[in-house]
Amino acid sequence: MEAMASGRACVASTVGGLSELITPDRDGILVPPEDPGPLGEAILRLVKEEPLRRRMGENARKKAMESFSIEDSVAKTLEVYRGVAGGV
């Protein structure tokens, strides 16, 4: 998330919530876990293709700012707390 908010295209493994966070070929590249071949290929692709890297970085930053703003996070956290506290 921090890299996305910084405007960086990301390469990540399809583990945990990363596959939900990154939209392949829009704001990053997803690769299978524990497989160095596709990881290396994805990194080299971003190194070699500057327009792709820039576009993905811009899309990543936009997604991070729109979907994961501090205001959104606080509102969602308060919603959880109120639900647990019985609507207080």
Side-chain angles (χ1 to χ4, degrees):
M1 178 54 61
E2 290 84 3
M4 291 177 74
S6 296
R8 302 291 182 224
C10 298
V11 177
S13 296
T14 53
V15 296
L18 293 175
S19 57
E20 295 173 15
L21 180 64
I22 295 174
T23 304
D25 294 324
R26 176 161 170 70
D27 45 45
I29 300 173
L30 292 172
V31 298
E34 300 182 29
D35 192 347
L39 176 62
E41 290 169 11
I43 293 169
L44 284 175
R45 181 178 175 203
L46 290 179
V47 168
K48 292 178 180 179
E49 297 181 34
E50 183 180 353
L52 175 68
R53 184 176 67 244
R54 287 185 184 274
R55 180 177 50 86
M56 283 187 178
E58 289 169 7
N59 290 338
R61 179 166 171 71
K62 183 177 178 182
K63 184 177 192 175
M65 296 296 105
E66 290 175 357
S67 302
F68 302 98
S69 69
I70 188 68
E71 293 83 9
D72 253 3
S73 295
V74 169
K76 289 175 184 174
T77 301
L78 285 173
E79 189 177 309
V80 170
Y81 286 165
R82 287 187 180 121
V84 171
V88 175

